[in-house]
Amino acid sequence: MKETTTKSVKECGLAHRNMIPVTEFRQFSEQQPAFRVLKPWWDVFTDYLSVAMLMIGVFGCTLQVMQDKIICLPKRVQPSQNHSSVSNVSQAVASTTPLPPPKPSPTNPATVEMKGLKTDLDLQQYSFINQMCYERALHWYAKYFPYLVLIHTLVFMLCSNFWFKFPGSSSKIEHFISILGKCFDSPWTTRALSEVSGEDSEEKDNRKNNMSRSNTIQSGPEGSLVNAQSLKSIPEKFVVDKSTAGALDKKEGEQAKALFEKVKKFRLHVEEGDILYAMYVRQTVLKVIKFLIIIAYNSALVSKVQFTVDCNVDIQDMTGYKNFSCNHTMAHLFSKLSFCYLCFVSIYGLTCLYTLYWLFYRSLREYSFEYVRQETGIDDIPDVKNDFAFMLHMIDQYDPLYSKRFAVFLSEVSENKLKQLNLNNEWTPDKLRQKLQTNAHNRLELPLIMLSGLPDTVFEITELQSLKLEIIKNVMIPATIAQLDNLQELSLHQCSVKIHSAALSFLKENLKVLSVKFDDMRELPPWMYGLRNLEELYLVGSLSHDISKNVTLESLRDLKSLKILSIKSNVSKIPQAVVDVSSHLQKMCIHNDGTKLVMLNNLKKMTNLTELELVHCDLERIPHAVFSLLSLQELDLKENNLKSIEEIVSFQHLRKLTVLKLWHNSITYIPEHIKKLTSLERLAFSHNKIEVLPSHLFLCNKIRYLDLSYNDIRFIPPEIGVLQSLQYFSITCNKVESLPDELYFCKKLKTLKIGKNSLSVLSPKIGNLLFLSYLDVKGNHFEILPPELGDCRALKRAGLVVEDALFETLPSDVREQMKAE
């Protein structure tokens, strides 16, 4: 018996050591410390209530493990029972009762006679009886009360924090908390709010003085901007003050800039749905339902926890007894704990009911920053909705200052000011000067691509002649552009531009070249139609391609000095605005995207036109209106659908025509009438389907440039030797098998391209071409190059396009001569 008792004690100790400590339950309710800002007071309060209920459950479970659950004693047999029953019981007892203890004797003095009612049961039988009565007689509520408390509390904890753990919502919450903390701690937030709070009167006075000077510079004679309506909402406090620009260092400025972008993307993402709101409502409703269920069944069953329990189990053949009286050792304590638990649950449930009232009484899927706008004066802070609004409402329950500081990063005005400060810090005048380059018009140009705005430091580079802005939104050209006395060219590629009235006056007088690339007609700057001294205008973008629609390009008649107009678009007819400047226009280029250009009669009005380009306009014939342009010197009809050019004879009336480009078409032959174009100097027929060269072509003896590449030509007439002025000749990618010796009479030839043909021999007479500096013979069937190439003193290795193995066939002295610089 002693050994059995010791074993039981060890088991109890082992159970105590293996018992789950309270701290292990933290994972069910614990979330990141930063999440506390999304826990209003009622969630914090219910968390403490959950901890209290959890302690009740853990305490009850501990008692269940550490102490005996029930103690039972057999009831004595009543005398009224019949004799046979008594006899049977006596026999059963006799058969199971151990021998009586020995009587005390002098040799065994420790033996003491036991007193009290004898049951003749041993310890194992008592344990068996206790277990049987615990399982069959004790009410289930009294047995499992602490476990129910523990389970219900854990469910409450899970419900309270499930939206912090669910993948669809936790990612949004974590992102929001991360951004919120950065917005709260950002130096830019502190600066933006301090500028409107009036905390530092001295700084406020300084800003006011600087702002007055800035307004003096930026106001024109009329005292307004060209696009003043769109700028009217900008508070004066957000005008960039260069004197304090260094207050925010470059690193902090870049961090704030990145934060603005994060807030934008996060807002777009979170405002799409309301999963956070829906999940919080559902978990609150679930807690209320669970509260009602707990109150209902606990109130009904708490009376089942009794101190004394009668146990009737049929184990007489094993113990000799059938009726037992049991004592539930923890009944009194469990009864008190259950009443305490019901009180906590009731308070918990009432708190949840208040939460439901708050959720449905207020419109939590919309959030207005009206109070922030009134307090700070930043009028462009937008209201938000859905999950974004819900999280801000939750934040306000923690501390309204968070949403106030967060609102700074929703303001476009605040962002623009930050961008301007960052630009001015990043793009110093010295750094901008390093980007200066000479453009195609031989002007000193500053290209700025994909910036967040236009740095004010640009206007300190007074030597600037051309300013090129690409993919820059919200460009504001201030009056300080007047400092750029040498500025003549401005390029705006996919930029939205606003301009100060004083800046517009400056551009009207000084700007000579304007290039605008746009995606929509509405992006065309309206002020460009008033640039009276503009000489060149380049427009690239989508116009109307439907002939039934009027092209809404405003009149250009005020551009009295316009000489060059280039339109790269999809027009179906020449815009009327172009006709308005036809009298003084000298060069016009229309590059279509394949849209058919019709109704070209307006070309006749352009009497002073000297250059005309109609590229990719789906023309099937040369427009007749072209033959009326008596001043025309250059005509380019590239990438059309020309197949026949019989009307080329009409070009004989254009005495000044020197350049004719009919390349990238489907022309199959050259008519003999081309001989009448005696004034031609440059002729391009490349990328066509010409098979035969007429000998009459070479009667145009003024030709200096002749491009016949990428055709199906097999034979070069010997009349080519007539072209004594020829300097450039290309028959690349044809089917020519031999070259006439007369070709080498063209002694002024500098560039000869005969690659990708079927030539097998290169005549030694090529040495007559003393001015030859570029020769392409690659892709033929040559086995050897003539050593007479050495007579072409201007030809160097870099200008000789040939296979390396074929180059090695030249004499070594010729190779060395060509390799020499």
Side-chain angles (χ1 to χ4, degrees):
M1 182 174 177
K2 181 177 180 182
E3 292 177 357
T4 306
T5 305
T6 305
K7 182 179 180 181
S8 177
V9 171
K10 289 182 178 179
E11 290 177 351
C12 292
L14 182 63
H16 174 69
R17 288 194 300 270
N18 293 336
M19 186 183 64
I20 301 176
V22 178
T23 55
E24 293 296 325
F25 293 98
R26 287 183 180 178
Q27 59 179 321
F28 295 101
S29 61
E30 195 176 64
Q31 65 278 339
Q32 296 183 17
F35 283 11
R36 68 182 183 276
V37 297
L38 286 178
K39 295 181 74 69
W41 67 265
W42 52 82
D43 278 351
V44 176
F45 182 59
T46 53
D47 282 349
Y48 282 112
L49 290 177
S50 297
V51 172
M53 291 187 288
L54 184 66
M55 293 299 297
I56 292 175
V58 172
F59 181 58
C61 291
T62 304
L63 292 178
Q64 290 278 59
V65 174
M66 294 290 296
Q67 299 184 11
D68 292 333
K69 302 170 185 176
I70 193 171
I71 300 175
C72 299
L73 291 176
K75 292 183 179 180
R76 284 204 172 269
V77 180
Q78 300 297 327
S80 59
Q81 291 176 325
N82 56 53
H83 183 269
S84 61
S85 299
V86 173
S87 177
N88 292 334
V89 170
S90 299
Q91 293 176 2
V93 171
S95 62
T96 57
T97 303
L99 294 175
K103 296 181 180 181
S105 63
T107 58
N108 189 12
T111 304
V112 180
E113 183 179 1
M114 296 172 56
K115 296 186 178 183
L117 297 177
K118 296 182 179 180
T119 61
D120 297 323
L121 296 175
D122 62 13
L123 181 61
Q124 292 181 345
Q125 290 175 318
Y126 275 118
S127 297
F128 177 75
I129 294 170
N130 291 344
Q131 291 295 329
M132 291 295 294
C133 290
Y134 180 82
E135 295 295 335
R136 297 189 181 183
L138 194 63
H139 193 273
W140 66 267
Y141 182 77
K143 290 189 291 184
Y144 302 119
F145 163 73
Y147 303 106
L148 291 174
V149 172
L150 188 62
I151 292 172
H152 290 323
T153 304
L154 292 178
V155 172
F156 275 137
M157 289 181 173
L158 290 174
C159 289
S160 297
N161 299 284
F162 184 72
W163 71 317
F164 292 128
K165 305 293 184 181
F166 183 69
S169 57
S170 63
S171 59
K172 290 184 179 181
I173 295 175
E174 289 176 4
H175 198 183
F176 175 73
I177 295 298
S178 174
I179 294 176
L180 183 68
K182 293 177 181 177
C183 292
F184 192 89
D185 298 331
S186 173
W188 174 249
T189 310
T190 304
R191 174 172 178 172
L193 292 178
S194 64
E195 287 184 351
V196 298
S197 63
E199 294 174 353
D200 192 337
S201 59
E202 182 178 353
E203 290 185 3
K204 188 173 181 180
D205 292 338
N206 292 336
R207 285 194 301 273
K208 185 174 180 181
N209 295 333
N210 293 328
M211 187 171 54
S212 300
R213 290 194 296 270
S214 177
N215 288 338
T216 302
I217 293 175
Q218 293 188 3
S219 59
E222 299 83 2
S224 63
L225 297 177
V226 173
N227 201 352
Q229 185 66 28
S230 62
L231 301 177
K232 190 177 295 182
S233 61
I234 300 179
E236 292 181 350
K237 62 183 77 65
F238 279 104
V239 175
V240 176
D241 181 6
K242 293 184 180 179
S243 63
T244 60
L248 200 68
D249 62 35
K250 182 177 179 180
K251 182 179 179 181
E252 293 172 342
E254 289 299 323
Q255 290 175 347
K257 179 182 176 181
L259 202 52
F260 269 106
E261 294 300 321
K262 287 184 178 180
V263 170
K264 281 183 180 180
K265 294 178 180 179
F266 179 76
R267 180 188 172 192
L268 290 175
H269 174 61
V270 175
E271 281 191 317
E272 292 177 355
D274 59 352
I275 183 174
L276 296 179
Y277 174 78
M279 187 166 293
Y280 191 82
V281 169
R282 290 170 186 170
Q283 70 183 32
T284 305
V285 170
L286 182 60
K287 288 192 291 185
V288 170
I289 294 174
K290 190 164 184 64
F291 148 71
L292 296 175
I293 294 174
I294 293 173
I295 291 296
Y297 87 82
N298 274 271
S299 300
L301 297 179
V302 68
S303 59
K304 299 298 182 179
V305 182
Q306 298 177 351
F307 186 76
T308 304
V309 180
D310 290 331
C311 175
N312 299 314
V313 289
D314 189 11
I315 54 174
Q316 190 172 356
D317 56 341
M318 297 181 66
T319 62
Y321 295 95
K322 181 178 182 180
N323 301 318
F324 302 91
S325 178
C326 301
N327 174 22
H328 185 197
T329 58
M330 290 170 286
H332 180 74
L333 181 59
F334 279 7
S335 177
K336 301 300 181 183
L337 289 177
S338 62
F339 282 111
C340 182
Y341 173 67
L342 286 176
C343 292
F344 283 137
V345 171
S346 299
I347 298 173
Y348 192 102
L350 292 175
T351 307
C352 292
L353 288 173
Y354 172 80
T355 305
L356 279 183
Y357 167 77
W358 181 79
L359 287 172
F360 293 117
Y361 176 74
R362 302 183 61 181
S363 179
L364 300 181
R365 283 182 285 189
E366 295 179 358
Y367 189 92
S368 174
F369 284 100
E370 182 62 30
Y371 78 98
V372 180
R373 291 193 288 265
Q374 293 178 356
E375 183 176 348
T376 63
I378 309 176
D379 297 330
D380 70 325
I381 300 176
D383 295 336
V384 296
K385 59 183 180 179
N386 289 335
D387 280 344
F388 203 174
F390 177 65
M391 286 190 286
L392 289 173
H393 280 294
M394 299 292 280
I395 287 291
D396 283 348
Q397 299 298 318
Y398 182 81
D399 189 351
L401 182 60
Y402 275 92
S403 58
K404 178 181 177 181
R405 296 179 71 88
F406 191 86
V408 173
F409 287 88
L410 292 172
S411 168
E412 186 176 353
V413 171
S414 175
E415 181 181 10
N416 289 338
K417 181 188 176 184
L418 174 66
K419 289 178 179 179
Q420 196 64 39
L421 286 174
N422 287 340
L423 278 173
N424 296 340
N425 290 334
E426 179 181 1
W427 295 97
T428 61
D430 293 337
K431 184 176 180 179
L432 290 173
R433 284 188 172 90
Q434 295 176 1
K435 293 180 66 66
L436 291 175
Q437 59 189 31
T438 303
N439 63 8
H441 297 93
N442 200 29
R443 293 189 177 99
L444 195 60
E445 182 176 82
L446 175 63
L448 298 176
I449 304 174
M450 297 183 69
L451 299 184
S452 57
L454 182 62
D456 296 332
T457 50
V458 169
F459 309 111
E460 299 179 17
I461 308 176
T462 56
E463 66 271 23
L464 190 64
Q465 295 177 314
S466 174
L467 179 60
K468 184 177 182 180
L469 308 178
E470 292 189 37
I471 318 178
I472 301 178
K473 296 181 179 180
N474 303 320
V475 176
M476 177 61 195
I477 300 180
T480 50
I481 196 175
Q483 299 174 10
L484 306 180
D485 297 329
N486 298 315
L487 185 66
Q488 296 181 354
E489 183 175 348
L490 178 62
S491 298
L492 305 173
H493 293 184
Q494 296 179 338
C495 299
S496 55
V497 181
K498 300 170 186 176
I499 186 169
H500 196 280
S501 57
L504 179 59
S505 300
F506 169 79
L507 294 180
K508 284 181 179 180
E509 298 296 330
N510 295 271
L511 198 62
K512 302 297 182 184
V513 181
L514 175 63
S515 175
V516 182
K517 185 176 181 180
F518 55 93
D519 292 327
D520 190 271
M521 282 283 301
R522 290 169 292 187
E523 296 180 10
L524 283 174
W527 43 265
M528 76 175 188
Y529 304 106
L531 302 176
R532 54 180 174 266
N533 288 329
L534 192 67
E535 296 179 357
E536 301 179 23
L537 177 60
Y538 300 88
L539 302 177
V540 181
S542 177
L543 299 174
S544 174
H545 62 273
D546 189 346
I547 193 172
S548 63
K549 297 180 181 178
N550 293 324
V551 180
T552 56
L553 191 64
E554 293 187 27
S555 177
L556 304 175
R557 63 170 57 93
D558 291 336
L559 306 182
K560 302 296 184 181
S561 302
L562 190 64
K563 297 179 181 179
I564 299 177
L565 176 62
S566 175
I567 300 176
K568 189 174 182 180
S569 184
N570 56 344
V571 295
S572 57
K573 62 180 180 180
I574 297 178
Q576 182 61 36
V578 177
V579 180
D580 293 339
V581 295
S582 60
S583 60
H584 49 82
L585 201 61
Q586 296 180 6
K587 179 179 179 180
M588 184 177 74
C589 306
I590 296 181
H591 291 228
N592 261 6
D593 61 354
T595 303
K596 191 175 185 62
L597 185 63
V598 297
M599 299 176 63
L600 296 171
N601 291 332
N602 288 334
L603 284 175
K604 297 179 179 179
K605 300 179 181 180
M606 303 180 186
T607 55
N608 294 321
L609 205 62
T610 59
E611 297 183 35
L612 176 62
E613 294 181 11
L614 301 176
V615 179
H616 208 186
C617 296
D618 195 26
L619 299 176
E620 297 179 359
R621 306 299 292 261
I622 300 176
H624 288 281
V626 174
F627 305 131
S628 302
L629 305 177
L630 300 180
S631 300
L632 194 64
Q633 299 177 11
E634 298 184 17
L635 176 63
D636 188 351
L637 299 178
K638 181 182 178 182
E639 293 182 344
N640 283 285
N641 195 23
L642 300 177
K643 296 180 181 179
S644 174
I645 54 172
E646 286 291 342
E647 58 274 11
I648 200 172
V649 66
S650 299
F651 281 132
Q652 63 181 320
H653 304 298
L654 307 183
R655 302 296 182 181
K656 299 180 179 180
L657 186 64
T658 59
V659 179
L660 179 60
K661 297 180 179 180
L662 300 176
W663 49 341
H664 293 269
N665 281 281
S666 301
I667 300 171
T668 56
Y669 69 98
I670 301 174
E672 294 183 0
H673 306 301
I674 196 169
K675 65 183 179 181
K676 297 181 180 181
L677 308 184
T678 56
S679 61
L680 283 181
E681 297 180 5
R682 296 173 64 90
L683 183 60
F685 275 111
S686 66
H687 295 84
N688 278 285
K689 300 178 181 179
I690 301 171
E691 296 181 0
V692 178
L693 286 180
S695 59
H696 300 83
L697 171 63
F698 304 106
L699 295 179
C700 305
N701 53 19
K702 292 184 179 180
I703 290 180
R704 296 183 292 107
Y705 179 101
L706 181 59
D707 188 357
L708 300 171
S709 58
Y710 294 90
N711 280 283
D712 297 322
I713 301 171
R714 296 178 180 273
F715 176 72
I716 305 296
E719 286 79 5
I720 192 173
V722 178
L723 305 180
Q724 291 298 305
S725 300
L726 190 63
Q727 299 180 14
Y728 179 100
F729 181 58
S730 174
I731 56 169
T732 301
C733 204
N734 277 278
K735 300 177 181 179
V736 178
E737 297 179 356
S738 63
L739 296 175
D741 291 341
E742 287 78 6
L743 174 62
Y744 306 109
F745 294 163
C746 306
K747 295 185 178 182
K748 294 184 179 180
L749 202 60
K750 296 181 179 179
T751 300
L752 178 60
K753 297 182 178 181
I754 57 175
K756 297 182 181 179
N757 279 280
S758 301
L759 300 172
S760 57
V761 177
L762 186 60
S763 174
K765 293 183 180 181
I766 196 170
N768 297 334
L769 306 179
L770 301 180
F771 298 100
L772 190 66
S773 60
Y774 187 91
L775 175 62
D776 181 4
V777 297
K778 193 173 184 178
N780 284 284
H781 304 307
F782 297 129
E783 296 181 359
I784 189 172
L785 292 178
E788 285 76 10
L789 278 176
D791 296 334
C792 304
R793 298 295 180 179
L795 183 63
K796 301 299 181 182
R797 181 65 182 94
L800 177 59
V801 181
V802 65
E803 293 85 353
D804 292 338
L806 193 57
F807 178 73
E808 295 298 326
T809 62
L810 288 172
S812 58
D813 58 331
V814 175
R815 295 199 305 269
E816 293 298 329
Q817 172 188 317
M818 290 186 177
K819 292 180 181 179
E821 293 294 334

